[in-house]
Each structure stands twice: as C-alpha cells, then as structure tokens.
C-alpha cells in the first residue's frame, strides 16, 4: 500500500469512537478496504458499526466529552487556531532561532510548516514518503493511529525576527515591543526569546509532541530549537471542561477571562485590527509568554488564610473573599469589621482586575522534574496571554503585578518572550504570506 | 541634607523609645495576664500566653539591632576610608545581624527594600542598600562612588534600631516569622540569587536559620505543652541543619556559595525544607 496520505479520506473519518477509544487511521483504512468506509459512516456512523462488532468499550456516557476531546479543528481560517480556541488539555511550546541567511528561505520554511501543520491538525501524517522501506519515513510515526485530538498550531515571530539578518526590519509592527524589565524578574537566558514561537495545543500529549517534533525536523538546516516547554491542565476525563482549571497552587486560574464568543469584545481586546497596522498583522494577535516558577515548597507551608489573602479568593470555591460563588463580582470596596479591605490591596485578584487592560489568558501548568540545584520541584505556570496591544494591555498589567502582588513572595518569573502572531491563512495560502510577499 | 534629617530624628526616637521600653519591660511582668495578646482567631483550647516569649524575643531583636548598627557603622566607615579589602571583609558579617531578624524589618514598611533590595527588585533610581554597595565592591572593585549609599545605609540601620522599640510583635509575627526566615533561605539564598556578586550567601543562610531557631527557642515550652512530638521533630531538624552547615564554616565565617558542589547545595536546601515543614505546623498547634 502507498502511504496513508494518498488514500481517499472521508471528511469525518477522524470522528471519535463512541465510548471513548478513538479509532485509528489504520483501522479505518482496513475497514475501508473491507466494506467501504464512506458508506458505513454515512449510514450509522463509525461508532455504531464498531460497537456492533463488540470492539468498543461501554463508556457511552462519556461519549460527548470524548467527542469534544478528539475533534478536529480547522487549521485554515481568518484567525489562527489556538487563541480563542477553548484550551485543550496539553501544550507543547517551542521557540526557534533561525539559522538561514536569506528572507526567502524563511518564507520557504513557513510554506513547509503551513502544509505540515494543516495535516497535523487533521490527524494525518506529514510528507509523502512514509512507506518506502529504503528511506527514513517523512513522518516520525508516533501519532499514527491517534485521532487529531483538537490539535491547534499557532505561529508567532518575535522582535529579533526583524533585526538586520533578513531585511524584514521595515515591516516590524510598532506594536511588537520588547518587554521592559519588570521588578523581581529573574529571567534566565535559556528560557527567553527566540525568533519564532510555536504553540501547539492538543488533547493528547503524544499528539502535541508529535507536531512539535515534526515541525522541528522540517526546520532542520533553517531553524533550531532554542527552548521548549510542555504544559498540562486537568483533562476532560478528570473534570468538567467548562469549569475553570486550577493552577498548581490549588486556586482556580482564569476566572476573569473575557468571553471568547463575544466577537465584538474579541475585536476590541484580542485581534489586531487593520487600523493598528501593519496590514500583514490584521486579524493577528500579540502573544506574551512567561515561564513562572512557583515556589511550591514555600507555598505549601503557608497557611490557608495567607494563601486566600494572596489571591483574594477562597481556595475551594474560587469565590471572592467573603462571598460564595466563583463568578461573584470582586467586592473591591468592601471593608471588614476592622476597617481593612476585604480583598487585600495586594491581593492578586484585585491587582489583576482591570477594565482596560483585559487580556486572554491561556496558561498551562508545567512540571519539569526537579531543580537540580536545590532539589525542589521545578514546577509552575507557563503563562500565555493574547492581546491586541502589549503596550496598552499586558505591560501595564504585569508592571502593576510585579510591583505590588502579594503572590510575588511565592513565584519567580524565569522565562519571557513576546511574539506577533500572524493572522490565519486561507486554504491555498501559507502562514505569514502577507508579510513575506506583501 | 535629607539623610541628615532622618539620622537626627532616628537618634532622637531611639533615645526616647529606649527609655520608654525600659519602663514597659519591668511593668509587664506583674500584669502579664492582662496584657496578653489574644490571637485573632481565638482557638477553643486555652489561649497560649505569649507575653514572656514576645518579651524575650524583643530583647533579642534589640540586641541584634544594636550589634547591627555597630557592625554597619564599621562597614560603612571602611568604605568611606576607601579601604576595599576591609569593606569586603566586613560586608557579610554585618548583614548577619539583619538577616537574623528579617521578618521584623520587613514589617517596618520601606526599610527592608531600602537596605536589602537586590538589583531589579526596585527601580534603578531607588536602588540602594547592601546589595548596591556589594555590586560596587565586587563588580567594580572599588569603594569610590559608594560613599553616599554607605551614609544612607547607616542612617537606615539607625532608623531600624529606633523603630524596633515600638514595633508590634504579636504571636502571629512570631509564629510566621520563623517559617518566613526559612522561606527566605529556600527561595533565594540557597539558589545563590541573594549575594550574586560577593557569593557570601552562606552567611545569610546561617543567620536566617539562627533567627528562626531563636523564635523556636522562645516558644519551645509552649510547643512542648501542646505537642511534645512536634517539638522534638523541630528540634531534631534544626540540629540536623546545623550539622549540614558545619563543614562550611571557615574561621569566624563561611565558605563562598560557589565553593559548594551541586550535591551539597541540594542537601542543604532539602534540609531547610525538611525543617520548615514541621515548623509551619507550630502555628496551628499554638492556635495562632
């Protein structure tokens, strides 16, 4: 048989199995060979057919949760996926440094990456040479048989992309600014910068890693990895996807996020507009990335009262201090019997609250084993946010937090990067084409 | 001009407060019960009487502060005399008096950043204190240019001395202070971030641990009453930590942070965490 990619693939062949176990590309192809998959799917759906064969588990009660997990997100579109997309379970982030010398080689890389990414998001293997025994396969193979798992791949370029090397300098957006040094920053060069940032999110870590690995491989000779980070949050199997996830400090993280279904709000807060300039950035967004190490050992020995005062919220419910429900508005003016603010002036929730500096947080927890120097856990928050303007939204917000947040006792920012995320590409075009050919 | 004003008022405050304190100290003993601070969240168990512990601790803080002002005076005098070697020699020992009572200084608002902020903790224009001078001495290799910071540091240290007379030391400050001292160690000192130019982190670490030990000592009897096992555990882990530190003593001081191997740093850090964990249980037991 030729490689998988040349087989006719029904649009819905990546559908999940009912009952939780995704059915593999290989199984589907076998079935197609036997009876004509399109027909089977067209009549009762793969789940029904396979269930009839007794091959499936019986967890049909979780079928809808699984459907949400194993779906396929379109790669092409007005905006890149992975920004307002509901956060998937896992993250693989990679920052690359370009090693080429000509701008043309950069656009070639993005062309190749776009093509591969569309396939990766569809759950297909990349490349064409995957079955010739005399050649190394194009696709690294570890995602064969796995469903698309809602993979999204989001590309951005940093301020260093616009230095003297490729001649893109004149096209640098005014909005792509270097971050100032924030008080307390403890940045380490091994977690900072990079010419290109790639955020891969998926509901399966192996699928996400497969994407980063194959993009890295395609880039060899053109770009090298500078740093990477994997992230996680609780999976849909462990908790209801609609609920705000908790960070490793045990508190709900992201309660104040803006409503991504409100298109007007997203245009105001997240998507760069044509009027913001330059033209190639219209419908893009600016991404801020901070690797925030949590001093978990110290946190774990602080009292619950201290912890709650630090966040300004109750740990279990996520409600503002003194209130009952997570989404109750923060009572910023309320005073206790002692005359002090109920939500302390240095509480994280108070300081992070702003009408004008709203950002879309899309953070993941990370655990990278132990810090070999101290024997403590190297774990924390891989903070990712998207905003229309770094200068008007992220920077003033982070400056305020860096100066006053009580949380600073327990956290330290060790990594930092900013990227201008391209608009999405329409089918037949490639990511960044407006910049490279505009 | 400005620092001169602060200095004058500091000396005034110190002398006024010192005499006031002398009176209070004697007056407290007979009326101990009446003036017992009540923990904010009153437990069901009989309230612990902290009067004596707080009194002992205040005496300790004032002793350390006196020594701190003296040592800082010698350190800053060496800078102003242009003696680089002597300045470097006096730097870390002077800091130890401060590091032993750090939670007290931190409760006094801007004094801690004024004396102990590291580069990047505050805006460049506001950066002064020990670490600013540290950078000058070790990085630039000269005392010249540090004289102004030396003056400020000395006047800040005198202000601290004046303020500790009246600082409110309650049971919460005492109970959380011990853990905070160890948190300081495990957050920034055992990682070598504190003394990034002088590499004298082990002086700070030893002082923080000694300061925490002092707090435990003044509370020990009460902890024993509530939970003898916990008191034994804490005692044992303090001893273990001092044992881990022992090989790094050098003369009257300590070896440089960079003299430790990665394994030694890790062992030290893990001994600190092993102690801080039961120490953080102390508050619950005492009902603070």
């Amino acid at each position: 048989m030729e490689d998988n990619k040349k087989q006719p693939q029904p649009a819905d062949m990546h559908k999940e199995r009912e009952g939780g176990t995704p059915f593999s590309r290989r199984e589907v192809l076998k079935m197609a060979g036997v009876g004509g998959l399109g027909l089977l799917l067209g009549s009762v759906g793969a789940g029904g057919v396979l269930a009839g064969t007794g091959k499936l588990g019986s967890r049909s009660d979780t079928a809808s949760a699984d459907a949400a997990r194993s779906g396929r997100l379109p790669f092409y579109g007005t905006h890149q996926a992975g920004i307002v997309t509901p956060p998937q379970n896992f993250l693989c982030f990679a920052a690359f440094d370009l090693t080429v010398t000509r701008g043309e080689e950069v656009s070639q890389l993005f062309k190749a990456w776009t093509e591969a990414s569309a396939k990766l998001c569809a759950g297909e293997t990349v490349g064409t040479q995957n079955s010739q025994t005399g050649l190394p396969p194009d696709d690294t193979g570890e995602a064969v048989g796995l469903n698309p798992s809602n993979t999204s791949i989001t590309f951005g370029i940093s301020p260093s992309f616009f230095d003297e090397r490729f001649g893109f300098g004149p096209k640098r957006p005014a909005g792509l600014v270097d971050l100032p040094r924030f008080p307390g920053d403890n940045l380490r060069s091994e977690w900072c910068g990079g010419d290109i940032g790639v955020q891969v999110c998926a509901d399966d870590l192996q699928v996400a890693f497969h994407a980063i690995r194959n993009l890295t491989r395609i880039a060899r000779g053109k770009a090298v990895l500078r740093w990477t980070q994997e992230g996680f949050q609780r999976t849909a199997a462990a908790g209801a996807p609609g609920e705000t996830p908790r960070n490793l400090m045990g508190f709900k993280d992201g309660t104040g996020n803006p409503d991504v279904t409100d298109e007007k709000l997203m245009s105001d807060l997240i998507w760069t507009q044509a009027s913001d300039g330059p033209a190639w950035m219209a419908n893009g967004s600016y991404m801020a990335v901070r690797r925030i190490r949590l001093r978990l050992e110290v946190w774990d020995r602080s009292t619950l009262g201290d912890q709650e005062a630090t966040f300004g919220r109750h740990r279990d419910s996520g409600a503002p201090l003194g209130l009952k429900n997570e989404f109750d508005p923060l009572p910023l003016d309320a005073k206790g019997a002692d005359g002090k603010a109920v939500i302390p002036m240095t509480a994280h929730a108070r300081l992070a609250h702003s009408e004008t500096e709203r950002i879309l947080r899309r953070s993941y927890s990370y655990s990278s084993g132990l810090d070999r120097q101290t024997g403590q856990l190297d774990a924390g928050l891989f903070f990712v946010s998207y905003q229309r303007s770094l200068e008007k939204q992220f920077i003033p917000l982070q400056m305020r937090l860096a100066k006053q947040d009580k949380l600073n006792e327990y956290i330290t920012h060790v990594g930092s990067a900013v990227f201008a995320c391209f608009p999405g590409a329409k089918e037949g075009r490639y990511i960044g084409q407006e910049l490279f050919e505009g | 001009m400005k620092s001169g004003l602060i200095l004058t008022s500091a000396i005034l405050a110190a002398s006024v407060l010192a005499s006031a304190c002398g009176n209070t100290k004697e007056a407290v003993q007979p009326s101990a019960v009446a003036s017992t601070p009540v923990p904010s969240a009153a437990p069901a168990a009989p309230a612990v009487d902290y009067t004596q512990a707080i009194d002992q601790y205040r005496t300790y803080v004032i002793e350390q502060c006196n020594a701190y002002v003296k040592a800082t005076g010698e350190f800053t005098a060496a800078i102003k005399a242009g003696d680089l070697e002597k300045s470097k020699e006096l730097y870390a020992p002077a800091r130890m008096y401060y590091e032993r009572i750090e939670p007290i200084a931190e409760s006094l608002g801007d004094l801690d950043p004024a004396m102990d902020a590291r580069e990047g903790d505050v805006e460049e224009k506001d950066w002064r204190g020990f670490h600013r001078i540290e950078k000058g001495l070790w990085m630039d290799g000269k005392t010249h240019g540090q004289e102004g910071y030396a003056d400020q540091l000395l006047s800040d240290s005198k202000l601290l001395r004046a303020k500790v007379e009246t600082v409110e030391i309650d049971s919460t400050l005492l109970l959380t202070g011990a853990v905070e001292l160890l948190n300081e160690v495990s957050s920034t000192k055992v990682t070598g971030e504190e003394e990034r130019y002088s590499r004298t982190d082990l002086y700070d670490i030893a002082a923080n641990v000694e300061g925490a030990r002092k707090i435990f000592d003044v509370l020990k009897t009460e902890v024993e009453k509530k939970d003898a096992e916990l008191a034994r555990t804490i005692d044992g882990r303090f001893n273990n930590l001092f044992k881990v530190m022992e090989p790094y003593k050098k003369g009257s001081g300590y070896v440089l942070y960079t003299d430790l191997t990665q394994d030694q740093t890790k062992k030290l850090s893990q001994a600190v965490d092993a102690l801080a964990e039961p120490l953080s249980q102390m508050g619950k037991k005492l009902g603070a």
Side-chain angles (χ1 to χ4, degrees):
Chain A
M1 195 168 70
E2 275 296 317
D3 61 273
N4 292 348
K5 112 170 229 299
K6 288 191 177 164
Q7 298 297 319
Q9 304 213 6
D12 52 353
M13 70 174 287
H14 300 285
K15 253 174 144 169
E16 79 293 347
R17 271 178 191 172
E18 221 169 83
T21 321
F23 66 87
S24 72
R25 274 163 280 214
R26 194 163 296 272
E27 278 179 39
V28 168
L29 292 169
K30 275 190 206 147
M31 289 186 59
V34 175
L37 182 71
L39 184 61
L40 292 173
L41 289 175
S43 54
V44 287
V49 171
L50 295 170
T53 65
K55 282 182 180 177
L56 293 182
S58 56
R59 290 172 53 235
S60 57
D61 52 325
T62 60
S64 56
D66 290 330
R69 272 218 309 271
S70 58
R72 172 180 166 175
L73 296 172
F75 175 74
Y76 294 105
T78 308
H79 305 293
Q80 289 198 76
I83 299 176
V84 295
T85 309
Q88 300 93 321
N89 295 335
F90 299 99
L91 162 90
C92 278
F93 191 92
F96 290 89
D97 277 336
L98 286 161
T99 54
V100 294
T101 50
R102 292 181 297 119
E104 196 183 306
E105 294 171 290
V106 180
S107 60
Q108 280 164 5
L109 173 62
F110 274 94
K111 230 180 257 177
W113 267 353
T114 300
E115 217 169 273
S117 296
K119 290 187 173 181
L120 289 164
C121 292
E124 296 169 23
T125 48
V126 300
T128 54
Q129 304 291 346
N130 279 313
S131 55
Q132 284 180 262
T133 50
L135 286 173
D138 281 348
D139 188 284
T140 56
E142 72 269 36
V144 168
L146 304 179
N147 69 44
S149 306
N150 280 318
T151 298
S152 66
I153 304 176
T154 316
F155 294 94
I157 49 179
S158 79
S160 66
F161 187 93
F162 293 94
D163 65 17
E164 65 294 338
R165 285 171 294 167
F166 314 107
F168 297 133
K171 293 182 174 177
R172 175 171 170 169
L176 182 58
V177 295
D178 286 300
L179 298 182
R181 175 165 186 163
F182 297 105
D185 267 5
N186 191 13
L187 303 181
R188 311 222 168 155
S189 56
E190 68 261 35
W191 297 113
C192 289
D195 294 329
I196 300 167
V198 183
Q199 171 199 276
V200 175
C201 295
D203 286 330
D204 184 275
L205 189 52
Q206 181 145 330
V207 168
F209 178 81
H210 169 256
I212 284 290
R213 178 181 174 192
N214 282 274
L215 294 176
T216 305
R217 186 181 182 195
I218 289 165
R220 286 195 184 127
K222 301 188 181 76
V224 293
L225 282 174
R226 183 185 174 100
W227 56 272
T228 69
Q229 182 65 58
E230 286 160 15
F232 60 91
Q233 52 160 331
R234 53 90 181 91
T235 65
E243 286 180 13
T244 314
R246 290 179 190 274
N247 59 30
L248 296 182
M249 294 172 131
F251 281 74
K252 295 189 177 195
D253 201 324
T255 299
N257 253 347
D259 178 4
V260 296
T261 62
D262 183 336
E263 285 183 29
K264 160 98 175 47
L265 193 62
M266 291 300 102
S267 295
D268 287 345
L269 297 176
I270 310 304
W271 305 124
T272 42
Q273 303 297 305
S275 58
D276 297 334
W280 67 264
M281 261 300 280
N283 295 316
S285 188
Y286 292 101
M287 168 169 53
V289 177
R290 308 278 289 178
R291 189 180 193 266
I292 306 174
R293 167 101 182 265
L294 304 179
R295 305 192 199 282
L296 291 179
E297 288 79 3
V298 172
W299 180 253
D300 291 345
R301 53 190 180 240
S302 63
T303 63
L304 179 62
D306 258 355
Q307 294 186 359
E308 294 192 331
T310 298
F311 277 98
R313 290 182 177 277
H314 292 293
R315 186 172 89 154
D316 285 354
S317 63
L321 287 182
L323 298 178
K324 286 273 177 287
N325 302 308
E326 180 187 351
F327 295 100
D328 286 343
L330 287 169
L332 295 176
D333 300 327
K335 297 227 172 6
D338 56 1
K340 289 184 184 162
V342 172
I343 308 285
M345 300 313 283
T346 55
H348 181 73
R350 172 187 290 277
L351 295 167
H353 177 84
S354 166
E355 289 303 321
T356 54
E357 296 151 6
R358 297 186 75 190
I359 59 175
L360 179 63
R361 288 191 284 173
R362 212 173 185 288
S363 304
Y364 285 83
S365 293
Y366 77 83
S367 166
S368 297
L370 88 165
D371 178 326
R372 300 182 65 80
Q373 189 187 19
T374 61
Q376 296 173 332
L377 289 162
D378 178 11
L381 186 74
F382 191 75
F383 173 95
V384 179
S385 75
Y386 289 92
Q387 47 272 310
R388 183 175 162 189
S389 166
L390 292 165
E391 284 173 298
K392 291 185 189 145
Q393 294 162 276
F394 178 75
I395 292 174
L397 179 64
Q398 180 53 33
M399 191 57 85
R400 189 167 60 241
L401 292 173
K403 282 183 177 165
Q404 302 172 54
D405 194 352
K406 187 166 154 54
L407 196 54
N408 294 334
E409 271 181 51
Y410 305 102
I411 67 177
T412 175
H413 290 236
V414 295
S416 181
V418 288
F419 301 98
C421 293
F422 298 100
K426 300 212 166 52
E427 205 151 354
R429 293 177 62 81
Y430 65 95
I431 293 285
Q433 192 162 352
E434 297 83 357
L435 166 65
F436 300 117
E437 297 175 19
Chain B
M1 189 61 200
K2 195 181 168 199
S3 60
L5 277 175
I6 292 173
L7 188 54
T8 315
S9 58
I11 291 165
L12 276 173
S15 55
V16 170
L17 294 168
S19 59
C21 182
N23 298 337
T24 322
K25 217 168 154 187
E26 279 151 42
V28 160
Q29 297 302 350
S31 60
V33 177
S35 62
T36 300
V38 179
S40 49
V48 178
D49 182 355
Y50 288 104
T51 318
Q52 218 181 350
I54 289 171
D55 200 35
Q56 282 176 18
Y57 188 64
R58 187 186 293 281
T59 307
Y60 171 75
V61 168
I62 289 170
E63 274 168 20
Q64 292 298 313
C65 250
N66 284 338
Y68 173 59
V69 174
K70 185 166 177 282
T72 304
E74 287 162 10
F75 168 59
T76 52
I79 291 167
K80 296 189 77 174
D83 189 338
L84 179 65
E85 282 318 303
K86 197 170 176 198
S87 304
K88 283 180 162 183
E89 204 176 291
L90 296 175
Y91 169 81
R95 288 180 51 72
M96 288 185 83
Y97 299 108
Y98 181 75
E99 292 287 341
R100 287 191 190 101
I101 55 166
E102 207 170 357
I104 299 287
E106 282 180 351
S107 72
L108 295 173
D110 290 340
L111 271 177
D112 184 59
M115 293 188 288
D116 200 29
R118 295 167 309 161
E119 192 170 16
D121 284 351
V122 293
E123 283 184 49
E124 175 70 17
K125 66 176 172 56
D126 299 326
W127 188 36
R128 61 197 233 214
F130 271 107
H131 294 299
R132 177 112 213 184
I133 299 172
E134 179 203 4
K135 190 180 181 186
L137 300 183
W138 271 270
M139 276 290 277
D140 308 336
K142 55 184 185 190
T143 56
H144 184 65
Q146 304 303 318
E147 295 86 352
Y149 297 123
D151 284 338
Q152 279 182 321
L153 178 62
L154 185 58
S155 77
D156 287 335
S157 72
K158 287 178 176 168
L159 187 58
L160 174 72
R161 172 63 186 84
K163 284 192 173 185
V164 292
E165 298 281 355
T166 49
V167 66
E168 194 186 333
I169 301 178
D170 60 8
S171 56
T172 309
L173 183 68
L174 214 49
L175 289 165
T176 57
V179 180
E180 271 173 30
L181 280 160
L182 296 180
N183 286 348
E184 284 280 329
V185 175
S186 72
S187 294
T188 57
K189 284 162 190 165
V190 84
T191 55
E193 291 160 47
E194 181 80 5
E195 305 290 352
R196 55 187 80 159
Y197 304 110
S198 67
R199 313 310 326 186
T200 56
D201 303 82
L202 265 72
Y203 287 77
D204 297 348
I205 294 174
N208 282 160
V209 177
E210 286 160 12
R213 174 80 214 196
K214 181 68 192 182
I215 295 177
F216 175 64
D217 281 347
V218 303
L219 293 171
K220 194 172 167 185
T221 322
E222 295 301 329
V223 181
E224 275 168 345
K225 278 188 216 159
K226 297 278 177 186
D227 188 338
E229 180 62 33
L230 179 67
R232 260 197 305 280
T233 303
I234 295 173
D235 212 24
R237 293 196 184 169
F238 263 118
N239 293 340
N240 177 58
L241 183 52
F242 286 125
K243 216 167 77 191
V244 171
M245 294 285 295
E246 190 62 34
Y248 310 130
K249 280 188 178 159
K250 188 182 171 188
S252 59
Y254 287 87
V255 299
L256 297 185
Y257 179 79
T258 41
D259 290 342
L260 268 61
T261 65
Q262 189 173 283
D263 267 358
Q264 289 172 325
T265 314
K266 188 164 128 190
K267 203 173 158 198
L268 177 57
S269 163
Q270 291 180 325
V272 170
D273 281 332
L275 164 64
E277 193 66 32
L279 203 59
S280 72
Q281 301 295 314
M282 206 166 63
K284 193 163 71 185
K285 294 290 174 186
L286 296 182

